[in-house]
Every structure is written in structure tokens, then in C-alpha cells.
Coordinates of all heavy atoms in Angstrom, one line a residue:
M1 N 0.8 -1.2 0.0 CA 0.0 0.0 0.0 C 0.9 1.2 0.0 O 1.9 1.3 0.8 CB -0.9 0.0 1.2 CG -1.7 1.2 1.4 SD -2.7 1.1 2.8 CE -4.3 1.1 2.1
A2 N 0.6 2.2 -0.8 CA 1.4 3.4 -0.9 C 1.1 4.3 0.2 O -0.1 4.4 0.7 CB 1.1 4.1 -2.2
T3 N 2.1 5.0 0.7 CA 1.9 5.9 1.8 C 1.7 7.4 1.3 O 2.3 7.7 0.3 CB 3.1 5.9 2.8 OG1 4.2 6.3 2.1 CG2 3.3 4.6 3.4
A4 N 0.9 8.1 1.9 CA 0.7 9.5 1.5 C 1.8 10.4 2.1 O 2.2 10.3 3.2 CB -0.7 10.0 2.0
R5 N 2.3 11.2 1.2 CA 3.4 12.2 1.7 C 2.8 13.6 1.6 O 2.2 13.9 0.6 CB 4.6 12.1 0.8 CG 5.3 10.7 1.0 CD 6.6 10.7 0.3 NE 6.4 11.1 -1.1 CZ 7.3 10.9 -2.0 NH1 8.5 10.4 -1.7 NH2 7.1 11.3 -3.3
M6 N 3.1 14.4 2.5 CA 2.6 15.8 2.5 C 3.7 16.7 1.9 O 4.9 16.6 2.2 CB 2.4 16.3 4.0 CG 1.4 15.4 4.7 SD -0.2 15.3 3.9 CE -0.9 16.9 4.5
K7 N 3.2 17.5 0.9 CA 4.1 18.4 0.2 C 3.6 19.8 0.4 O 2.5 20.1 -0.1 CB 4.2 18.0 -1.2 CG 5.1 18.9 -2.1 CD 5.1 18.4 -3.5 CE 6.0 19.4 -4.3 NZ 5.9 19.0 -5.7
P8 N 4.4 20.7 0.9 CA 3.9 22.1 1.1 C 3.8 22.8 -0.3 O 4.7 22.6 -1.1 CB 4.9 22.8 2.0 CG 6.1 22.0 1.9 CD 5.7 20.6 1.5
S9 N 2.9 23.7 -0.4 CA 2.8 24.5 -1.6 C 3.7 25.8 -1.4 O 4.4 25.9 -0.5 CB 1.4 25.0 -1.9 OG 0.9 25.8 -0.9
V10 N 3.7 26.7 -2.4 CA 4.5 27.9 -2.3 C 4.2 28.6 -1.0 O 3.1 29.0 -0.7 CB 4.2 28.8 -3.5 CG1 5.0 30.1 -3.4 CG2 4.5 28.0 -4.8
P11 N 5.2 28.9 -0.1 CA 4.9 29.4 1.2 C 4.8 31.0 1.2 O 4.3 31.5 2.2 CB 6.1 29.0 2.0 CG 7.2 28.9 1.0 CD 6.6 28.5 -0.3
D12 N 5.1 31.7 0.2 CA 5.1 33.1 0.2 C 4.3 33.7 -0.9 O 4.5 33.3 -2.1 CB 6.5 33.7 0.2 CG 6.5 35.2 0.4 OD1 5.7 35.7 1.2 OD2 7.4 35.9 -0.2
R13 N 3.4 34.7 -0.6 CA 2.7 35.3 -1.7 C 2.5 36.8 -1.3 O 2.3 37.1 -0.1 CB 1.3 34.6 -1.8 CG 0.7 34.9 -3.1 CD -0.4 33.9 -3.3 NE -1.7 34.6 -3.4 CZ -2.8 34.1 -3.4 NH1 -3.0 32.8 -3.2 NH2 -3.9 34.8 -3.5
T14 N 2.5 37.7 -2.2 CA 2.4 39.1 -1.9 C 1.0 39.6 -2.4 O 0.6 39.3 -3.5 CB 3.5 39.9 -2.5 OG1 4.8 39.4 -2.0 CG2 3.4 41.4 -2.1
E15 N 0.4 40.3 -1.5 CA -0.9 40.9 -1.8 C -0.8 42.4 -2.0 O -0.2 43.1 -1.1 CB -1.8 40.6 -0.6 CG -3.3 41.0 -0.7 CD -4.0 40.5 0.5 OE1 -3.8 41.1 1.6 OE2 -4.9 39.7 0.4
H16 N -1.2 43.0 -3.1 CA -1.1 44.4 -3.4 C -2.5 45.0 -3.2 O -3.5 44.6 -3.8 CB -0.6 44.6 -4.8 CG 0.7 44.0 -5.0 ND1 1.9 44.4 -4.6 CD2 1.0 42.8 -5.7 CE1 2.9 43.7 -4.9 NE2 2.4 42.6 -5.6
L17 N -2.5 46.1 -2.4 CA -3.8 46.8 -2.1 C -3.7 48.2 -2.3 O -2.6 48.9 -2.1 CB -4.1 46.6 -0.6 CG -4.4 45.1 -0.1 CD1 -4.2 45.0 1.4 CD2 -5.8 44.7 -0.6
V18 N -4.8 48.8 -2.7 CA -5.0 50.3 -2.8 C -6.0 50.6 -1.7 O -7.1 50.1 -1.8 CB -5.4 50.8 -4.2 CG1 -5.6 52.3 -4.2 CG2 -4.4 50.4 -5.2
V19 N -5.6 51.4 -0.7 CA -6.5 51.8 0.4 C -7.0 53.2 0.1 O -6.2 54.1 0.0 CB -5.7 51.7 1.7 CG1 -6.7 52.0 2.9 CG2 -5.1 50.3 1.9
V20 N -8.3 53.3 -0.1 CA -8.9 54.6 -0.4 C -9.8 55.0 0.8 O -10.6 54.3 1.2 CB -9.8 54.5 -1.7 CG1 -10.4 55.9 -2.0 CG2 -8.9 54.0 -2.8
D21 N -9.6 56.2 1.3 CA -10.3 56.8 2.4 C -11.1 58.0 1.9 O -10.5 59.0 1.6 CB -9.4 57.2 3.6 CG -10.1 57.7 4.8 OD1 -11.3 58.0 4.7 OD2 -9.5 57.9 5.8
V22 N -12.4 57.9 1.8 CA -13.3 59.0 1.4 C -14.1 59.4 2.5 O -15.1 58.6 2.9 CB -14.1 58.6 0.1 CG1 -15.0 59.7 -0.3 CG2 -13.2 58.2 -1.0
D23 N -13.9 60.5 3.1 CA -14.6 61.0 4.3 C -14.8 60.0 5.4 O -15.8 59.9 6.0 CB -16.0 61.5 3.8 CG -15.9 62.7 2.9 OD1 -14.9 63.5 3.0 OD2 -16.9 63.0 2.1
G24 N -13.7 59.3 5.7 CA -13.7 58.4 6.8 C -14.1 57.0 6.5 O -14.1 56.1 7.3
V25 N -14.6 56.7 5.3 CA -15.0 55.4 4.8 C -13.8 54.8 4.1 O -13.4 55.3 3.0 CB -16.3 55.4 3.9 CG1 -16.6 54.0 3.4 CG2 -17.4 56.1 4.6
V26 N -13.3 53.7 4.6 CA -12.0 53.1 4.1 C -12.4 51.9 3.3 O -13.1 51.0 3.8 CB -11.0 52.8 5.2 CG1 -9.8 52.1 4.6 CG2 -10.7 54.0 6.0
D27 N -11.9 51.8 2.0 CA -12.1 50.7 1.2 C -10.7 50.2 0.8 O -9.8 50.9 0.4 CB -12.9 51.0 -0.1 CG -14.3 51.3 0.2 OD1 -15.0 50.5 0.9 OD2 -14.8 52.4 -0.3
E28 N -10.5 48.9 0.9 CA -9.2 48.2 0.5 C -9.5 47.5 -0.8 O -10.4 46.6 -0.8 CB -8.7 47.3 1.5 CG -8.2 48.0 2.8 CD -7.6 47.0 3.8 OE1 -7.7 45.8 3.6 OE2 -6.9 47.5 4.7
V29 N -8.8 47.8 -1.9 CA -9.1 47.2 -3.2 C -7.8 46.4 -3.5 O -6.7 46.9 -3.6 CB -9.3 48.3 -4.2 CG1 -9.5 47.7 -5.6 CG2 -10.5 49.2 -3.9
L30 N -8.0 45.1 -3.7 CA -7.0 44.1 -4.1 C -6.7 44.2 -5.6 O -7.7 44.2 -6.3 CB -7.4 42.7 -3.6 CG -6.4 41.6 -3.9 CD1 -5.2 41.8 -3.1 CD2 -7.1 40.2 -3.6
V31 N -5.5 44.3 -5.9 CA -5.1 44.4 -7.4 C -4.0 43.3 -7.6 O -3.5 42.8 -6.7 CB -4.6 45.8 -7.8 CG1 -5.7 46.8 -7.7 CG2 -3.4 46.2 -7.0
A32 N -3.8 43.0 -8.9 CA -2.9 41.9 -9.3 C -1.4 42.2 -9.0 O -0.7 41.3 -8.5 CB -3.2 41.5 -10.7
T33 N -1.0 43.4 -9.4 CA 0.5 43.7 -9.3 C 0.7 45.0 -8.6 O -0.2 45.8 -8.5 CB 1.1 43.7 -10.7 OG1 0.6 44.8 -11.4 CG2 0.9 42.4 -11.4
A34 N 2.0 45.3 -8.3 CA 2.3 46.5 -7.7 C 2.1 47.7 -8.7 O 1.7 48.8 -8.3 CB 3.8 46.5 -7.2
D35 N 2.4 47.4 -10.0 CA 2.2 48.5 -11.0 C 0.7 48.8 -11.1 O 0.4 50.0 -11.3 CB 2.8 48.0 -12.3 CG 4.3 47.9 -12.4 OD1 4.9 48.6 -11.6 OD2 4.8 47.2 -13.2
D36 N -0.1 47.8 -11.1 CA -1.6 48.1 -11.1 C -2.0 48.9 -9.9 O -2.9 49.8 -10.1 CB -2.4 46.7 -11.2 CG -2.2 46.0 -12.5 OD1 -1.8 46.6 -13.5 OD2 -2.5 44.8 -12.5
A37 N -1.4 48.6 -8.8 CA -1.8 49.4 -7.6 C -1.4 50.8 -7.7 O -2.1 51.7 -7.4 CB -1.1 48.8 -6.4
E38 N -0.2 51.1 -8.2 CA 0.3 52.5 -8.5 C -0.6 53.2 -9.5 O -1.0 54.4 -9.3 CB 1.7 52.5 -8.9 CG 2.7 52.0 -7.9 CD 2.8 53.0 -6.7 OE1 2.6 54.2 -6.8 OE2 3.2 52.5 -5.6
Q39 N -1.0 52.5 -10.5 CA -1.8 53.1 -11.6 C -3.2 53.5 -11.0 O -3.8 54.5 -11.3 CB -2.0 52.2 -12.8 CG -0.7 52.2 -13.6 CD -0.8 51.2 -14.7 OE1 -1.8 50.5 -14.9 NE2 0.3 51.0 -15.5
L40 N -3.8 52.6 -10.2 CA -5.1 52.8 -9.6 C -5.1 53.9 -8.6 O -6.0 54.8 -8.6 CB -5.7 51.5 -9.0 CG -7.1 51.6 -8.5 CD1 -8.1 51.9 -9.6 CD2 -7.5 50.2 -7.9
A41 N -4.0 54.0 -7.8 CA -3.9 55.1 -6.9 C -3.8 56.4 -7.6 O -4.4 57.4 -7.2 CB -2.7 54.8 -6.0
A42 N -3.0 56.5 -8.7 CA -2.9 57.7 -9.5 C -4.2 58.1 -10.1 O -4.6 59.3 -10.1 CB -1.9 57.5 -10.6
A43 N -5.0 57.1 -10.5 CA -6.4 57.4 -11.1 C -7.3 58.0 -10.0 O -8.1 58.9 -10.3 CB -7.0 56.1 -11.6
V44 N -7.2 57.5 -8.8 CA -8.0 58.0 -7.7 C -7.6 59.5 -7.4 O -8.5 60.3 -7.2 CB -7.9 57.2 -6.4 CG1 -8.5 57.8 -5.2 CG2 -8.5 55.8 -6.6
V45 N -6.3 59.7 -7.4 CA -5.8 61.1 -7.1 C -6.3 62.0 -8.2 O -6.8 63.2 -8.0 CB -4.3 61.1 -7.0 CG1 -3.8 62.6 -7.0 CG2 -3.9 60.4 -5.7
D46 N -6.2 61.6 -9.5 CA -6.7 62.4 -10.6 C -8.2 62.7 -10.5 O -8.6 63.8 -10.8 CB -6.3 61.7 -11.9 CG -4.8 61.7 -12.2 OD1 -4.1 62.5 -11.6 OD2 -4.4 60.9 -13.1
A47 N -9.0 61.7 -10.1 CA -10.4 61.8 -10.0 C -10.7 62.8 -8.9 O -11.7 63.6 -9.0 CB -11.1 60.5 -9.8
A48 N -10.0 62.7 -7.8 CA -10.2 63.6 -6.7 C -9.9 65.1 -7.0 O -10.6 66.0 -6.7 CB -9.4 63.2 -5.4
A49 N -8.8 65.3 -7.8 CA -8.5 66.6 -8.2 C -9.5 67.2 -9.2 O -9.7 68.4 -9.2 CB -7.1 66.6 -8.9
A50 N -10.1 66.3 -10.0 CA -11.1 66.7 -11.0 C -12.5 66.7 -10.5 O -13.4 67.1 -11.2 CB -11.0 65.9 -12.3
L51 N -12.6 66.3 -9.2 CA -14.0 66.2 -8.6 C -14.9 65.3 -9.4 O -16.0 65.6 -9.7 CB -14.6 67.6 -8.3 CG -13.8 68.5 -7.4 CD1 -14.5 69.8 -7.4 CD2 -13.7 67.9 -6.1
A52 N -14.4 64.2 -9.8 CA -15.1 63.2 -10.7 C -15.5 62.0 -10.0 O -15.2 61.8 -8.8 CB -14.2 62.8 -11.9
T53 N -16.2 61.1 -10.6 CA -16.7 59.9 -10.1 C -15.7 58.8 -10.6 O -15.2 58.8 -11.7 CB -18.1 59.5 -10.6 OG1 -19.0 60.5 -10.1 CG2 -18.5 58.1 -10.1
I54 N -15.3 57.9 -9.7 CA -14.4 56.8 -10.1 C -14.9 55.5 -9.7 O -15.6 55.3 -8.7 CB -13.0 57.0 -9.4 CG1 -12.0 56.0 -10.0 CG2 -13.0 56.9 -7.9 CD1 -10.5 56.4 -9.8
V55 N -14.7 54.5 -10.6 CA -15.1 53.1 -10.4 C -13.9 52.3 -10.1 O -13.0 52.2 -10.9 CB -15.9 52.6 -11.6 CG1 -16.3 51.1 -11.4 CG2 -17.1 53.4 -11.9
L56 N -13.8 51.7 -8.9 CA -12.7 50.9 -8.5 C -13.0 49.4 -8.6 O -14.0 48.9 -8.1 CB -12.3 51.1 -7.0 CG -12.0 52.6 -6.6 CD1 -11.9 52.7 -5.1 CD2 -10.8 53.1 -7.4
P57 N -12.2 48.6 -9.4 CA -12.5 47.2 -9.5 C -12.0 46.5 -8.3 O -10.9 46.7 -7.8 CB -11.6 46.8 -10.7 CG -10.5 47.8 -10.8 CD -11.1 49.1 -10.2
V58 N -12.9 45.6 -7.7 CA -12.5 44.8 -6.6 C -12.1 43.5 -7.1 O -12.8 42.8 -7.8 CB -13.7 44.7 -5.6 CG1 -13.4 43.8 -4.5 CG2 -14.2 46.0 -5.2
G59 N -10.8 43.1 -6.7 CA -10.3 41.9 -7.2 C -10.2 40.8 -6.2 O -10.4 41.0 -5.0
G60 N -9.9 39.6 -6.7 CA -9.7 38.5 -5.8 C -8.9 37.4 -6.6 O -8.7 37.5 -7.8
F61 N -8.4 36.4 -5.9 CA -7.7 35.3 -6.5 C -8.5 34.1 -6.5 O -9.2 33.8 -5.6 CB -6.4 35.1 -5.7 CG -5.3 36.1 -5.9 CD1 -5.2 37.2 -5.0 CD2 -4.5 36.1 -7.0 CE1 -4.2 38.2 -5.2 CE2 -3.6 37.1 -7.2 CZ -3.4 38.1 -6.3
S62 N -8.4 33.4 -7.6 CA -9.1 32.1 -7.8 C -8.1 31.1 -8.3 O -6.9 31.5 -8.5 CB -10.3 32.2 -8.7 OG -9.9 32.5 -10.1
S63 N -8.5 29.9 -8.7 CA -7.6 28.9 -9.2 C -7.0 29.4 -10.5 O -6.0 28.9 -10.9 CB -8.3 27.6 -9.3 OG -9.4 27.7 -10.2
G64 N -7.7 30.2 -11.3 CA -7.2 30.7 -12.6 C -6.4 31.9 -12.5 O -5.9 32.4 -13.5
G65 N -6.2 32.5 -11.3 CA -5.4 33.7 -11.1 C -6.2 34.8 -10.6 O -7.2 34.6 -9.9
F66 N -5.8 36.0 -10.9 CA -6.5 37.2 -10.4 C -7.8 37.5 -11.3 O -7.7 37.4 -12.5 CB -5.6 38.4 -10.5 CG -6.2 39.7 -10.0 CD1 -6.2 39.9 -8.6 CD2 -6.7 40.6 -10.8 CE1 -6.7 41.1 -8.1 CE2 -7.3 41.8 -10.3 CZ -7.3 42.0 -8.9
V67 N -8.9 37.8 -10.6 CA -10.1 38.1 -11.3 C -10.8 39.3 -10.6 O -10.6 39.5 -9.4 CB -11.1 36.9 -11.3 CG1 -10.6 35.7 -12.1 CG2 -11.5 36.4 -9.9
V68 N -11.6 40.0 -11.4 CA -12.4 41.1 -10.8 C -13.7 40.5 -10.4 O -14.4 39.9 -11.1 CB -12.6 42.2 -11.8 CG1 -13.5 43.3 -11.3 CG2 -11.2 42.8 -12.2
V69 N -14.0 40.8 -9.1 CA -15.3 40.2 -8.5 C -16.4 41.2 -8.3 O -17.5 40.9 -7.9 CB -15.0 39.4 -7.2 CG1 -14.1 38.2 -7.5 CG2 -14.3 40.3 -6.2
G70 N -16.1 42.5 -8.5 CA -17.1 43.5 -8.3 C -16.5 44.9 -8.5 O -15.3 45.0 -8.9
H71 N -17.3 45.9 -8.1 CA -16.8 47.3 -8.3 C -17.3 48.2 -7.1 O -18.4 47.9 -6.6 CB -17.3 47.9 -9.6 CG -16.7 47.3 -10.8 ND1 -17.2 46.1 -11.4 CD2 -15.6 47.6 -11.5 CE1 -16.5 45.8 -12.4 NE2 -15.5 46.7 -12.5
I72 N -16.5 49.2 -6.8 CA -16.9 50.2 -5.8 C -16.9 51.5 -6.6 O -16.0 51.9 -7.3 CB -15.9 50.3 -4.7 CG1 -15.8 49.0 -3.9 CG2 -16.3 51.4 -3.7 CD1 -14.7 48.9 -2.9
V73 N -18.0 52.3 -6.4 CA -18.1 53.6 -7.1 C -18.0 54.7 -6.0 O -18.8 54.7 -5.0 CB -19.5 53.7 -7.8 CG1 -19.6 55.1 -8.5 CG2 -19.6 52.6 -8.9
H74 N -17.2 55.7 -6.3 CA -17.0 56.8 -5.4 C -17.3 58.1 -6.2 O -16.7 58.3 -7.2 CB -15.6 56.9 -4.8 CG -15.3 56.0 -3.7 ND1 -15.9 56.0 -2.5 CD2 -14.5 54.9 -3.7 CE1 -15.5 55.0 -1.8 NE2 -14.6 54.3 -2.5
D75 N -18.2 58.9 -5.7 CA -18.5 60.2 -6.3 C -17.6 61.3 -5.5 O -18.0 61.7 -4.5 CB -19.9 60.6 -6.2 CG -20.3 61.9 -6.9 OD1 -19.3 62.5 -7.5 OD2 -21.4 62.3 -6.9
L76 N -16.5 61.6 -6.0 CA -15.5 62.4 -5.3 C -15.9 63.9 -5.4 O -15.2 64.7 -4.7 CB -14.1 62.1 -5.8 CG -13.6 60.7 -5.7 CD1 -12.2 60.5 -6.3 CD2 -13.7 60.3 -4.2
A77 N -16.9 64.3 -6.2 CA -17.3 65.7 -6.2 C -18.0 66.0 -4.9 O -17.9 67.2 -4.5 CB -18.3 65.9 -7.4
K78 N -18.5 65.1 -4.2 CA -19.2 65.3 -3.0 C -18.3 65.1 -1.8 O -18.7 65.4 -0.6 CB -20.5 64.4 -2.9 CG -21.5 64.6 -3.9 CD -22.6 63.7 -3.8 CE -23.6 63.9 -5.0 NZ -24.7 62.9 -4.9
A79 N -17.1 64.6 -2.0 CA -16.2 64.2 -0.9 C -15.6 65.5 -0.3 O -15.2 66.4 -1.1 CB -15.2 63.3 -1.3
K80 N -15.4 65.5 1.0 CA -14.7 66.6 1.6 C -13.2 66.3 1.8 O -12.4 67.2 1.7 CB -15.3 66.9 3.0 CG -16.7 67.4 2.9 CD -17.3 67.7 4.3 CE -18.7 68.1 4.2 NZ -19.4 68.3 5.5
R81 N -12.9 65.0 2.0 CA -11.5 64.6 2.2 C -11.3 63.2 1.5 O -12.1 62.3 1.8 CB -11.2 64.6 3.7 CG -9.7 64.2 4.0 CD -9.5 64.2 5.4 NE -10.2 63.2 6.1 CZ -9.8 61.9 6.3 NH1 -8.6 61.6 5.9 NH2 -10.5 61.0 6.9
T82 N -10.3 63.1 0.7 CA -10.0 61.9 0.1 C -8.5 61.6 0.2 O -7.7 62.5 0.0 CB -10.3 61.9 -1.4 OG1 -11.7 62.2 -1.6 CG2 -10.0 60.6 -2.1
S83 N -8.1 60.4 0.7 CA -6.7 60.0 0.7 C -6.6 58.6 0.1 O -7.5 57.8 0.2 CB -6.2 60.0 2.2 OG -6.8 59.0 2.9
V84 N -5.4 58.3 -0.4 CA -5.2 57.0 -1.0 C -3.7 56.6 -0.7 O -2.8 57.5 -0.6 CB -5.4 57.1 -2.5 CG1 -4.5 58.1 -3.2 CG2 -5.3 55.7 -3.2
R85 N -3.5 55.3 -0.5 CA -2.2 54.8 -0.3 C -2.1 53.4 -0.9 O -3.1 52.7 -1.0 CB -1.8 54.8 1.2 CG -2.5 53.9 2.1 CD -2.0 54.0 3.5 NE -2.6 53.0 4.3 CZ -3.8 53.2 5.0 NH1 -4.5 54.3 4.8 NH2 -4.3 52.2 5.7
V86 N -0.9 53.0 -1.2 CA -0.6 51.6 -1.7 C 0.1 50.8 -0.7 O 1.0 51.3 -0.1 CB 0.2 51.7 -3.0 CG1 0.6 50.3 -3.5 CG2 -0.5 52.5 -4.1
E87 N -0.4 49.6 -0.5 CA 0.2 48.7 0.5 C 0.5 47.4 -0.2 O -0.2 46.9 -1.0 CB -0.7 48.4 1.7 CG -1.0 49.6 2.6 CD -1.9 49.3 3.7 OE1 -2.2 48.1 3.9 OE2 -2.2 50.2 4.5
S88 N 1.6 46.8 0.2 CA 2.0 45.4 -0.2 C 2.1 44.6 1.1 O 2.9 45.0 2.0 CB 3.2 45.4 -1.0 OG 3.0 46.0 -2.2
R89 N 1.4 43.5 1.1 CA 1.5 42.6 2.3 C 2.0 41.2 1.9 O 1.5 40.6 0.9 CB 0.1 42.5 2.9 CG -0.5 43.8 3.4 CD -1.8 43.6 4.0 NE -2.4 44.8 4.3 CZ -3.7 45.0 4.5 NH1 -4.6 44.0 4.4 NH2 -4.2 46.2 4.8
S90 N 2.9 40.7 2.6 CA 3.4 39.4 2.4 C 2.5 38.4 3.2 O 2.4 38.5 4.4 CB 4.8 39.2 2.8 OG 5.3 37.9 2.6
L91 N 1.9 37.5 2.5 CA 1.1 36.5 3.2 C 1.9 35.2 3.4 O 2.4 34.6 2.4 CB -0.1 36.2 2.3 CG -1.0 37.4 2.0 CD1 -2.2 36.9 1.1 CD2 -1.6 38.0 3.3
Q92 N 2.0 34.8 4.6 CA 2.8 33.5 4.9 C 1.7 32.5 5.2 O 1.0 32.6 6.1 CB 3.7 33.7 6.1 CG 4.7 34.8 5.9 CD 5.8 34.2 5.0 OE1 6.1 33.0 4.9 NE2 6.4 35.2 4.2
F93 N 1.7 31.5 4.4 CA 0.8 30.4 4.6 C 1.4 29.1 4.0 O 2.2 29.2 3.1 CB -0.6 30.6 4.1 CG -0.7 30.8 2.6 CD1 -0.9 29.7 1.8 CD2 -0.4 32.0 2.0 CE1 -1.0 29.8 0.4 CE2 -0.5 32.2 0.6 CZ -0.7 31.1 -0.1
A94 N 0.9 28.0 4.4 CA 1.3 26.7 3.8 C 0.1 25.8 3.7 O -0.5 25.5 4.7 CB 2.4 26.0 4.6
S95 N -0.3 25.5 2.5 CA -1.4 24.6 2.4 C -0.7 23.2 2.0 O 0.3 23.2 1.4 CB -2.4 25.0 1.3 OG -1.7 25.1 0.1
M96 N -1.4 22.2 2.5 CA -0.8 20.9 2.3 C -1.6 20.1 1.3 O -2.8 20.2 1.4 CB -0.7 20.2 3.7 CG 0.1 20.9 4.7 SD 1.8 21.2 4.3 CE 2.5 19.7 4.8
G97 N -1.0 19.4 0.5 CA -1.7 18.5 -0.4 C -1.2 17.1 -0.2 O -0.1 16.8 0.3
I98 N -2.0 16.1 -0.6 CA -1.6 14.7 -0.4 C -1.1 14.2 -1.8 O -1.9 14.3 -2.8 CB -2.8 13.9 0.1 CG1 -3.2 14.4 1.5 CG2 -2.4 12.4 0.1 CD1 -4.4 13.7 2.0
K99 N 0.1 13.7 -1.8 CA 0.6 13.1 -3.0 C 0.5 11.6 -2.9 O 0.9 11.0 -2.0 CB 2.1 13.5 -3.2 CG 2.7 13.0 -4.4 CD 4.1 13.5 -4.6 CE 4.7 13.0 -5.8 NZ 6.1 13.4 -6.0
K100 N -0.1 11.0 -3.9 CA -0.4 9.6 -3.9 C 0.7 8.9 -4.7 O 1.3 9.3 -5.6 CB -1.7 9.2 -4.5 CG -2.8 9.7 -3.6 CD -4.1 9.3 -4.2 CE -5.3 9.8 -3.3 NZ -6.5 9.3 -3.7

């Protein structure tokens, strides 16, 4: 009878977030890469300067990779204070699979 051996998957993964604060309401938007995060943050700043409406794609990871799972809409013309920052978080986890 074959014995099952446990094999850890990739132990390190980085999560890139754009954190948008509009009048005290904080939204964290997950994006695929650090470049995407910088571009989205710049778009939020441009929309705030122009007092425009911006649509933020809310992302997530699935077995096929990064996917957009929804959207957040901010009308920055009505906002009194808007701030944005980019964060990168390293996620440490180990999922185990059974090799037969």
C-alpha cells in the first residue's frame, strides 16, 4: 500500500492593495500587481483633483489567477476629504496536499 506524503505549496505570496479613504469610509481594493496598484492610486488622485466619479475594480484570487469580482463607485465631487495609499502585504501560509 502506498503511503501519503505531505508536500507544502508555495509558502510566500504578496498581496497588493490600494487603500482609499473617502470622508472616513475606508475601502481596500486588491489588485494583481504593484504596477496596477500604483496606476489605480494615481487614477484616484486624478479623479479627486477633477472632482469626478471613479469606479474601483474589486479583485480576488481564484484557481485561474486574479479576477475582478465587483466594483466600488465613489463620487468624489461630494467628498470633503480623500486619501489614497498603496500597501503590499506578504502572506505567509502553507497549504498541504496529499501526493499519492
Side-chain angles (χ1 to χ4, degrees):
M1 175 181 244
T3 60
R5 293 187 308 191
M6 303 301 279
K7 179 181 177 184
S9 65
V10 178
D12 184 37
R13 199 164 118 192
T14 302
E15 185 177 69
H16 302 285
L17 298 160
V18 177
V19 181
V20 180
D21 181 348
V22 179
D23 293 335
V25 177
V26 178
D27 291 311
E28 292 185 349
V29 179
L30 181 66
V31 294
T33 65
D35 290 337
D36 291 342
E38 292 293 334
Q39 290 175 0
L40 186 58
V44 171
V45 170
D46 291 343
L51 300 176
T53 300
I54 188 161
V55 178
L56 304 173
V58 177
F61 286 98
S62 69
S63 60
F66 183 81
V67 295
V68 175
V69 295
H71 292 86
I72 299 171
V73 178
H74 286 291
D75 185 3
L76 300 178
K78 298 177 182 177
K80 294 179 182 173
R81 184 179 63 91
T82 302
S83 67
V84 62
R85 69 181 184 272
V86 175
E87 294 182 2
S88 293
R89 298 178 188 161
S90 178
L91 302 176
Q92 296 290 330
F93 64 92
S95 61
M96 304 299 277
I98 298 174
K99 183 177 179 180
K100 293 183 180 184

